[in-house]
Amino acid sequence: MKNTLNTHETVNALLKDEYASWSLNGAKALAEYLEQHEEECGVELELDVVAFRCEYSEYASLKEWLIEYYGETTEEAFKSAGVDLEGDEDEAERDDLIRSHIFDYGQLIEFDGGIIVSSF
């Protein structure tokens, strides 16, 4: 016996997890990502909010993720991540470097208001 959830029901389940800190937009982005993953892989996922909370984390920006994951300052974080900076990169170029780094090791979900990154 199984119960198939729609996007709205999945979002509500994620938001009800008292130990997670999903924003509404973040929960919706994660739900849509998981639904797309199911369709692409042909595998049905079980709704396990604890597993999703442990596997994915939400951040306000790429820079916030980098600093929280790797170091106290942006330069230290890039160095710890093994990303070499030339020193003349603008903000968009630095964001692209962070995106590439995340894609090398995990999943990145971007949405209006933030990002979600899978655990490495």
mmCIF file of all heavy atoms in Angstrom, residues 75-103:
data_model
loop_
_atom_site.group_PDB
_atom_site.id
_atom_site.type_symbol
_atom_site.label_atom_id
_atom_site.label_comp_id
_atom_site.label_asym_id
_atom_site.label_seq_id
_atom_site.Cartn_x
_atom_site.Cartn_y
_atom_site.Cartn_z
ATOM 1 N N GLU A 75 38.103 34.110 1.127
ATOM 2 C CA GLU A 75 39.388 33.664 0.602
ATOM 3 C C GLU A 75 39.852 32.368 1.265
ATOM 4 O O GLU A 75 40.340 31.462 0.603
ATOM 5 C CB GLU A 75 40.449 34.768 0.748
ATOM 6 C CG GLU A 75 40.309 35.896 -0.267
ATOM 7 C CD GLU A 75 39.058 36.768 -0.062
ATOM 8 O OE1 GLU A 75 38.583 36.905 1.093
ATOM 9 O OE2 GLU A 75 38.545 37.278 -1.066
ATOM 10 N N GLU A 76 39.705 32.281 2.594
ATOM 11 C CA GLU A 76 40.063 31.051 3.308
ATOM 12 C C GLU A 76 39.200 29.886 2.838
ATOM 13 O O GLU A 76 39.683 28.765 2.685
ATOM 14 C CB GLU A 76 39.882 31.232 4.816
ATOM 15 C CG GLU A 76 40.895 32.116 5.470
ATOM 16 C CD GLU A 76 40.574 32.357 6.946
ATOM 17 O OE1 GLU A 76 39.518 31.890 7.419
ATOM 18 O OE2 GLU A 76 41.375 33.018 7.609
ATOM 19 N N ALA A 77 37.929 30.150 2.622
ATOM 20 C CA ALA A 77 37.011 29.100 2.196
ATOM 21 C C ALA A 77 37.365 28.591 0.804
ATOM 22 O O ALA A 77 37.371 27.377 0.563
ATOM 23 C CB ALA A 77 35.572 29.616 2.229
ATOM 24 N N PHE A 78 37.643 29.497 -0.120
ATOM 25 C CA PHE A 78 38.059 29.067 -1.459
ATOM 26 C C PHE A 78 39.322 28.210 -1.372
ATOM 27 O O PHE A 78 39.429 27.171 -2.024
ATOM 28 C CB PHE A 78 38.303 30.266 -2.383
ATOM 29 C CG PHE A 78 37.071 30.749 -3.099
ATOM 30 C CD1 PHE A 78 36.495 31.967 -2.780
ATOM 31 C CD2 PHE A 78 36.498 30.000 -4.107
ATOM 32 C CE1 PHE A 78 35.372 32.422 -3.440
ATOM 33 C CE2 PHE A 78 35.368 30.440 -4.793
ATOM 34 C CZ PHE A 78 34.805 31.649 -4.452
ATOM 35 N N LYS A 79 40.270 28.642 -0.559
ATOM 36 C CA LYS A 79 41.532 27.905 -0.413
ATOM 37 C C LYS A 79 41.276 26.516 0.167
ATOM 38 O O LYS A 79 41.800 25.519 -0.325
ATOM 39 C CB LYS A 79 42.501 28.693 0.475
ATOM 40 C CG LYS A 79 43.866 28.071 0.559
ATOM 41 C CD LYS A 79 44.809 28.960 1.353
ATOM 42 C CE LYS A 79 46.187 28.338 1.411
ATOM 43 N NZ LYS A 79 47.145 29.179 2.121
ATOM 44 N N SER A 80 40.456 26.435 1.206
ATOM 45 C CA SER A 80 40.133 25.145 1.822
ATOM 46 C C SER A 80 39.398 24.221 0.853
ATOM 47 O O SER A 80 39.551 23.007 0.911
ATOM 48 C CB SER A 80 39.267 25.353 3.068
ATOM 49 O OG SER A 80 39.988 26.020 4.071
ATOM 50 N N ALA A 81 38.621 24.817 -0.042
ATOM 51 C CA ALA A 81 37.881 24.032 -1.036
ATOM 52 C C ALA A 81 38.777 23.583 -2.183
ATOM 53 O O ALA A 81 38.369 22.785 -3.020
ATOM 54 C CB ALA A 81 36.716 24.850 -1.578
ATOM 55 N N GLY A 82 39.998 24.106 -2.226
ATOM 56 C CA GLY A 82 40.912 23.764 -3.301
ATOM 57 C C GLY A 82 40.632 24.512 -4.581
ATOM 58 O O GLY A 82 41.024 24.087 -5.663
ATOM 59 N N VAL A 83 39.969 25.662 -4.456
ATOM 60 C CA VAL A 83 39.649 26.489 -5.618
ATOM 61 C C VAL A 83 40.641 27.644 -5.660
ATOM 62 O O VAL A 83 40.720 28.443 -4.731
ATOM 63 C CB VAL A 83 38.204 27.029 -5.545
ATOM 64 C CG1 VAL A 83 37.903 27.944 -6.714
ATOM 65 C CG2 VAL A 83 37.209 25.877 -5.489
ATOM 66 N N ASP A 84 41.417 27.699 -6.721
ATOM 67 C CA ASP A 84 42.416 28.757 -6.868
ATOM 68 C C ASP A 84 41.786 30.010 -7.457
ATOM 69 O O ASP A 84 41.131 29.958 -8.501
ATOM 70 C CB ASP A 84 43.559 28.292 -7.777
ATOM 71 C CG ASP A 84 44.366 27.175 -7.146
ATOM 72 O OD1 ASP A 84 44.538 27.190 -5.915
ATOM 73 O OD2 ASP A 84 44.807 26.277 -7.889
ATOM 74 N N LEU A 85 41.978 31.116 -6.773
ATOM 75 C CA LEU A 85 41.503 32.406 -7.264
ATOM 76 C C LEU A 85 42.662 33.172 -7.870
ATOM 77 O O LEU A 85 43.782 33.128 -7.353
ATOM 78 C CB LEU A 85 40.897 33.231 -6.119
ATOM 79 C CG LEU A 85 39.647 32.688 -5.463
ATOM 80 C CD1 LEU A 85 39.260 33.583 -4.282
ATOM 81 C CD2 LEU A 85 38.497 32.609 -6.454
ATOM 82 N N GLU A 86 42.387 33.881 -8.940
ATOM 83 C CA GLU A 86 43.398 34.743 -9.533
ATOM 84 C C GLU A 86 43.425 36.095 -8.847
ATOM 85 O O GLU A 86 44.397 36.820 -8.936
ATOM 86 C CB GLU A 86 43.134 34.899 -11.032
ATOM 87 C CG GLU A 86 43.308 33.598 -11.785
ATOM 88 C CD GLU A 86 42.996 33.724 -13.254
ATOM 89 O OE1 GLU A 86 42.923 34.863 -13.766
ATOM 90 O OE2 GLU A 86 42.823 32.678 -13.886
ATOM 91 N N GLY A 87 42.323 36.440 -8.173
ATOM 92 C CA GLY A 87 42.257 37.686 -7.434
ATOM 93 C C GLY A 87 41.471 38.783 -8.116
ATOM 94 O O GLY A 87 41.115 39.774 -7.484
ATOM 95 N N ASP A 88 41.164 38.616 -9.387
ATOM 96 C CA ASP A 88 40.417 39.663 -10.097
ATOM 97 C C ASP A 88 39.013 39.200 -10.491
ATOM 98 O O ASP A 88 38.348 39.845 -11.296
ATOM 99 C CB ASP A 88 41.188 40.136 -11.328
ATOM 100 C CG ASP A 88 41.428 39.024 -12.345
ATOM 101 O OD1 ASP A 88 41.200 37.843 -12.006
ATOM 102 O OD2 ASP A 88 41.843 39.346 -13.467
ATOM 103 N N GLU A 89 38.525 38.118 -9.895
ATOM 104 C CA GLU A 89 37.188 37.616 -10.210
ATOM 105 C C GLU A 89 36.120 38.539 -9.633
ATOM 106 O O GLU A 89 36.243 39.004 -8.498
ATOM 107 C CB GLU A 89 36.967 36.214 -9.628
ATOM 108 C CG GLU A 89 37.845 35.138 -10.218
ATOM 109 C CD GLU A 89 39.178 34.996 -9.502
ATOM 110 O OE1 GLU A 89 39.439 35.757 -8.547
ATOM 111 O OE2 GLU A 89 39.955 34.142 -9.909
ATOM 112 N N ASP A 90 35.088 38.783 -10.422
ATOM 113 C CA ASP A 90 33.959 39.536 -9.882
ATOM 114 C C ASP A 90 33.022 38.561 -9.166
ATOM 115 O O ASP A 90 33.258 37.350 -9.135
ATOM 116 C CB ASP A 90 33.241 40.340 -10.976
ATOM 117 C CG ASP A 90 32.596 39.478 -12.049
ATOM 118 O OD1 ASP A 90 32.372 38.269 -11.833
ATOM 119 O OD2 ASP A 90 32.294 40.030 -13.120
ATOM 120 N N GLU A 91 31.963 39.089 -8.586
ATOM 121 C CA GLU A 91 31.038 38.273 -7.793
ATOM 122 C C GLU A 91 30.415 37.147 -8.617
ATOM 123 O O GLU A 91 30.300 36.015 -8.144
ATOM 124 C CB GLU A 91 29.934 39.163 -7.199
ATOM 125 C CG GLU A 91 29.151 38.517 -6.080
ATOM 126 C CD GLU A 91 29.967 38.340 -4.801
ATOM 127 O OE1 GLU A 91 30.922 39.093 -4.573
ATOM 128 O OE2 GLU A 91 29.624 37.440 -4.026
ATOM 129 N N ALA A 92 30.035 37.429 -9.855
ATOM 130 C CA ALA A 92 29.425 36.410 -10.719
ATOM 131 C C ALA A 92 30.421 35.295 -11.029
ATOM 132 O O ALA A 92 30.054 34.111 -11.042
ATOM 133 C CB ALA A 92 28.915 37.038 -12.007
ATOM 134 N N GLU A 93 31.667 35.650 -11.262
ATOM 135 C CA GLU A 93 32.690 34.639 -11.540
ATOM 136 C C GLU A 93 32.954 33.780 -10.302
ATOM 137 O O GLU A 93 33.129 32.560 -10.409
ATOM 138 C CB GLU A 93 33.986 35.304 -12.005
ATOM 139 C CG GLU A 93 33.873 35.925 -13.387
ATOM 140 C CD GLU A 93 35.065 36.789 -13.761
ATOM 141 O OE1 GLU A 93 35.606 37.498 -12.878
ATOM 142 O OE2 GLU A 93 35.443 36.743 -14.945
ATOM 143 N N ARG A 94 32.967 34.407 -9.141
ATOM 144 C CA ARG A 94 33.150 33.644 -7.898
ATOM 145 C C ARG A 94 31.966 32.697 -7.668
ATOM 146 O O ARG A 94 32.158 31.556 -7.263
ATOM 147 C CB ARG A 94 33.329 34.578 -6.703
ATOM 148 C CG ARG A 94 34.705 35.211 -6.678
ATOM 149 C CD ARG A 94 34.897 36.113 -5.484
ATOM 150 N NE ARG A 94 36.270 36.569 -5.433
ATOM 151 C CZ ARG A 94 36.970 36.662 -4.324
ATOM 152 N NH1 ARG A 94 36.423 36.362 -3.166
ATOM 153 N NH2 ARG A 94 38.214 37.078 -4.360
ATOM 154 N N ASP A 95 30.749 33.172 -7.937
ATOM 155 C CA ASP A 95 29.575 32.305 -7.821
ATOM 156 C C ASP A 95 29.687 31.116 -8.765
ATOM 157 O O ASP A 95 29.349 29.989 -8.397
ATOM 158 C CB ASP A 95 28.288 33.082 -8.097
ATOM 159 C CG ASP A 95 27.854 33.950 -6.930
ATOM 160 O OD1 ASP A 95 28.436 33.835 -5.824
ATOM 161 O OD2 ASP A 95 26.911 34.753 -7.112
ATOM 162 N N ASP A 96 30.155 31.343 -9.983
ATOM 163 C CA ASP A 96 30.333 30.245 -10.944
ATOM 164 C C ASP A 96 31.360 29.233 -10.450
ATOM 165 O O ASP A 96 31.191 28.022 -10.639
ATOM 166 C CB ASP A 96 30.728 30.782 -12.319
ATOM 167 C CG ASP A 96 29.573 31.427 -13.058
ATOM 168 O OD1 ASP A 96 28.398 31.177 -12.694
ATOM 169 O OD2 ASP A 96 29.837 32.189 -14.016
ATOM 170 N N LEU A 97 32.427 29.710 -9.814
ATOM 171 C CA LEU A 97 33.426 28.802 -9.248
ATOM 172 C C LEU A 97 32.823 27.953 -8.130
ATOM 173 O O LEU A 97 33.103 26.754 -8.025
ATOM 174 C CB LEU A 97 34.630 29.589 -8.720
ATOM 175 C CG LEU A 97 35.539 30.221 -9.769
ATOM 176 C CD1 LEU A 97 36.522 31.190 -9.107
ATOM 177 C CD2 LEU A 97 36.281 29.147 -10.547
ATOM 178 N N ILE A 98 31.994 28.572 -7.305
ATOM 179 C CA ILE A 98 31.333 27.830 -6.218
ATOM 180 C C ILE A 98 30.374 26.798 -6.808
ATOM 181 O O ILE A 98 30.346 25.640 -6.371
ATOM 182 C CB ILE A 98 30.597 28.785 -5.254
ATOM 183 C CG1 ILE A 98 31.589 29.741 -4.587
ATOM 184 C CG2 ILE A 98 29.825 27.988 -4.201
ATOM 185 C CD1 ILE A 98 30.932 30.898 -3.848
ATOM 186 N N ARG A 99 29.579 27.205 -7.797
ATOM 187 C CA ARG A 99 28.653 26.267 -8.451
ATOM 188 C C ARG A 99 29.407 25.046 -8.996
ATOM 189 O O ARG A 99 28.997 23.905 -8.786
ATOM 190 C CB ARG A 99 27.938 26.944 -9.626
ATOM 191 C CG ARG A 99 26.719 27.674 -9.291
ATOM 192 C CD ARG A 99 26.006 28.172 -10.555
ATOM 193 N NE ARG A 99 25.085 29.212 -10.171
ATOM 194 C CZ ARG A 99 25.386 30.512 -10.147
ATOM 195 N NH1 ARG A 99 26.566 30.946 -10.536
ATOM 196 N NH2 ARG A 99 24.478 31.385 -9.757
ATOM 197 N N SER A 100 30.487 25.310 -9.714
ATOM 198 C CA SER A 100 31.276 24.220 -10.295
ATOM 199 C C SER A 100 31.795 23.282 -9.217
ATOM 200 O O SER A 100 31.768 22.061 -9.376
ATOM 201 C CB SER A 100 32.452 24.781 -11.092
ATOM 202 O OG SER A 100 32.006 25.463 -12.218
ATOM 203 N N HIS A 101 32.256 23.858 -8.117
ATOM 204 C CA HIS A 101 32.766 23.041 -7.013
ATOM 205 C C HIS A 101 31.657 22.160 -6.448
ATOM 206 O O HIS A 101 31.864 20.962 -6.218
ATOM 207 C CB HIS A 101 33.356 23.938 -5.924
ATOM 208 C CG HIS A 101 33.912 23.165 -4.782
ATOM 209 N ND1 HIS A 101 35.091 22.465 -4.858
ATOM 210 C CD2 HIS A 101 33.429 22.960 -3.532
ATOM 211 C CE1 HIS A 101 35.322 21.868 -3.703
ATOM 212 N NE2 HIS A 101 34.326 22.159 -2.886
ATOM 213 N N ILE A 102 30.489 22.724 -6.220
ATOM 214 C CA ILE A 102 29.370 21.940 -5.687
ATOM 215 C C ILE A 102 29.011 20.822 -6.659
ATOM 216 O O ILE A 102 28.827 19.667 -6.252
ATOM 217 C CB ILE A 102 28.156 22.837 -5.391
ATOM 218 C CG1 ILE A 102 28.463 23.786 -4.227
ATOM 219 C CG2 ILE A 102 26.920 21.979 -5.069
ATOM 220 C CD1 ILE A 102 27.437 24.876 -4.006
ATOM 221 N N PHE A 103 28.887 21.135 -7.942
ATOM 222 C CA PHE A 103 28.525 20.126 -8.939
ATOM 223 C C PHE A 103 29.569 19.015 -9.032
ATOM 224 O O PHE A 103 29.233 17.884 -9.395
ATOM 225 C CB PHE A 103 28.284 20.754 -10.305
ATOM 226 C CG PHE A 103 26.953 21.449 -10.428
ATOM 227 C CD1 PHE A 103 26.887 22.742 -10.907
ATOM 228 C CD2 PHE A 103 25.772 20.816 -10.083
ATOM 229 C CE1 PHE A 103 25.661 23.387 -11.027
ATOM 230 C CE2 PHE A 103 24.542 21.450 -10.198
ATOM 231 C CZ PHE A 103 24.489 22.739 -10.674
#
